Amino acid sequence: MSQIVELVTFKLLPEADKGAFAEASEGVNAFVRNREGFLYRSLCENPQENTWTDIVYWQDMDAAKQAGEMFMTSELTRGFMSYIDPTSVTMRHLQVANDSGCSTTA
């Protein structure tokens, strides 16, 4: 099976504090680091469109699906989700077709 990229795009609730949201994102980092098949995660902001995109690389679709099932009920992700407008969420899973082989180490 090929690697999977999970793209989740969303908006924050109007009253959400970005600093507190960034801190809550650390819970998601802890959650994914402990999932089998996790490779890499980044959280990106598009201030012009007031949207965020959470990008997670998984070893395969099974790993992505298993993590997704656990994500919604995990204590580690609850704070993160409390800042998100649930009506704005879109999720896609894409197969990696080509990889530059970049490293996350400096």
Side-chain angles (χ1 to χ4, degrees):
M1 288 190 126
S2 63
Q3 290 180 356
I4 298 296
V5 176
E6 180 177 270
L7 296 173
V8 184
T9 303
F10 55 88
K11 291 184 177 190
L12 298 183
L13 293 167
E15 66 275 9
D17 175 86
K18 285 186 185 180
F21 174 67
E23 288 178 27
S25 179
E26 289 302 318
V28 177
N29 289 340
F31 172 82
V32 294
R33 278 190 211 112
N34 291 316
R35 302 282 70 82
E36 189 172 328
F38 168 71
L39 301 173
Y40 178 79
R41 174 182 185 245
S42 62
L43 179 63
C44 309
E45 180 184 12
N46 182 335
Q48 292 79 21
E49 294 182 8
N50 195 30
T51 59
W52 294 78
T53 302
D54 204 346
I55 305 166
V56 185
Y57 280 75
W58 297 102
Q59 187 174 8
D60 54 40
M61 185 60 88
D62 288 340
K65 286 183 178 182
Q66 288 175 4
E69 290 171 7
M70 299 172 75
F71 187 91
M72 299 304 286
T73 59
S74 173
E75 287 290 325
L76 293 171
T77 61
R78 189 167 290 149
F80 179 79
M81 291 188 306
S82 72
Y83 292 96
I84 295 173
D85 175 357
T87 66
S88 71
V89 177
T90 60
M91 177 189 278
R92 297 184 299 161
H93 288 104
L94 309 169
Q95 287 188 352
V96 174
N98 193 336
D99 184 344
S100 69
C102 66
S103 172
T104 59
T105 59

